Amino acid sequence: HLANNNKGNMAASLDQVIEEKTDTVALMSHSPFETETELNKSMQAIDKGAFHVSQREAKTHQENLQHLCRICGSSFKTDPYKRSHPVHGPIDDEMQVLLRKKEKKAISWPDLLAKVFKIGVKGDIDTIHPTKFCHQCWTVVQKKLSNSPYEMFFPRRSPVEWQSHSSSCDVCGTSPRGVKRKKQVLNPQLSKKLRMVSGRVRKIRQIKNPKQVNQKSLMKKIASCKKIHLSTKILAVDYPSDFVKSISCQICEHILADPVETTCKHLFCRTCILKCLKVMGSYCPACCYPCFPTDLVSPVKSFLSIMNSLLVICPVKDCQEEVCLGKYCHHLSRHKEIK
């Protein structure tokens, strides 16, 4: 009887074990699908949340860009008048007047910014680049077109490089004053020029002493261009003295040959000014304003055309022919061919 009871208990326990195993197998068979669907739902929820966050961040990034300058990265909030100019658009009237005076052509801002700052803004993207630039950079363009010193307005050599939005974005985590620039090594020539400008320009001109008077004769000796350049005495027309002074070099006092203009608006022969700058230092011989060979530019085309149309008398013996200054070299070469 006991043996039969033991057998019955063993069979019941075996049945319970089999039922438990089948239940676990059934659970194992159903759980992967359920867990996968749950994971997919949670991943979709995370993706949607991340998409909304990234979209919001991109929107705030683009809004922050609207308050920054495309060129220097400064904030428009620093300007009390909140002045700004569109990067893509026509040039304003004031700048067009200046371009007309300088006999230069530019229709839109992208062309002008490419000439002045050497940057291409035509391929800008609104989500990466600001669409406006500040009035300070506008002043730099104006100063550079009018051939005036502009380093005090834009002391850096290169504009800001803009990057797309990221976790370590400079635009979104920027200060109210604008984007922080990367530290750049200053050009020694530029820093020297800034020191000279700040040191010399503010000083009041002193009364000329005998040394300054003798300086003019010294400059003439340095230039030593009597055999190369033409004297004002060979002009065919008796022009007013002020006009003659305006077309003559302020170093050698001869008719301007290959004229160049300094930042302080004085005219010199190219060879004369380069010799003086090399010997006497980087100052304008007329007003002692800081001047470097890189600052020398050619005058406007209308002035050059007036110069070329001046009538001069050929200094060769038995010639005395009146020739335009622009054709004088060709006329002189004929005399050499005859000889």
Side-chain angles (χ1 to χ4, degrees), residues 22-38:
T22 51
D23 289 339
T24 53
V25 169
L27 281 168
M28 286 292 289
S29 61
H30 288 295
S31 62
F33 296 107
E34 287 174 5
T35 50
E36 278 181 13
T37 52
E38 284 174 6

Side-chain angles (χ1 to χ4, degrees), residues 227-296:
K227 294 179 181 179
I228 307 165
H229 298 157
L230 299 172
S231 173
T232 53
K233 293 177 182 178
I234 67 166
L235 288 167
V237 183
D238 188 14
Y239 293 109
S241 58
D242 290 336
F243 179 77
V244 174
K245 195 177 179 181
S246 67
I247 60 163
S248 57
C249 175
Q250 295 196 32
I251 294 172
C252 64
E253 296 180 348
H254 296 145
I255 297 170
L256 287 164
D258 191 12
V260 289
E261 187 181 351
T262 59
T263 50
C264 47
K265 305 290 181 184
H266 291 117
L267 291 166
F268 303 95
C269 303
R270 190 182 289 275
T271 53
C272 296
I273 185 71
L274 288 174
K275 284 178 183 177
C276 283
L277 290 176
K278 192 175 181 181
V279 176
M280 302 188 74
S282 302
Y283 300 100
C284 174
C287 64
C288 294
Y289 190 85
C291 178
F292 287 81
T294 51
D295 298 331
L296 303 174

Side-chain angles (χ1 to χ4, degrees), residues 322-336:
E322 290 186 3
V323 190
C324 290
L325 189 63
K327 296 178 181 178
Y328 177 76
C329 291
H330 179 68
H331 175 80
L332 202 65
S333 62
R334 288 195 310 180
H335 285 296
K336 288 178 181 177

Side-chain angles (χ1 to χ4, degrees), residues 312-324:
V312 293
I313 299 166
C314 181
V316 178
K317 287 181 180 180
D318 302 327
C319 180
Q320 300 296 312
E321 189 181 338
E322 290 186 3
V323 190
C324 290

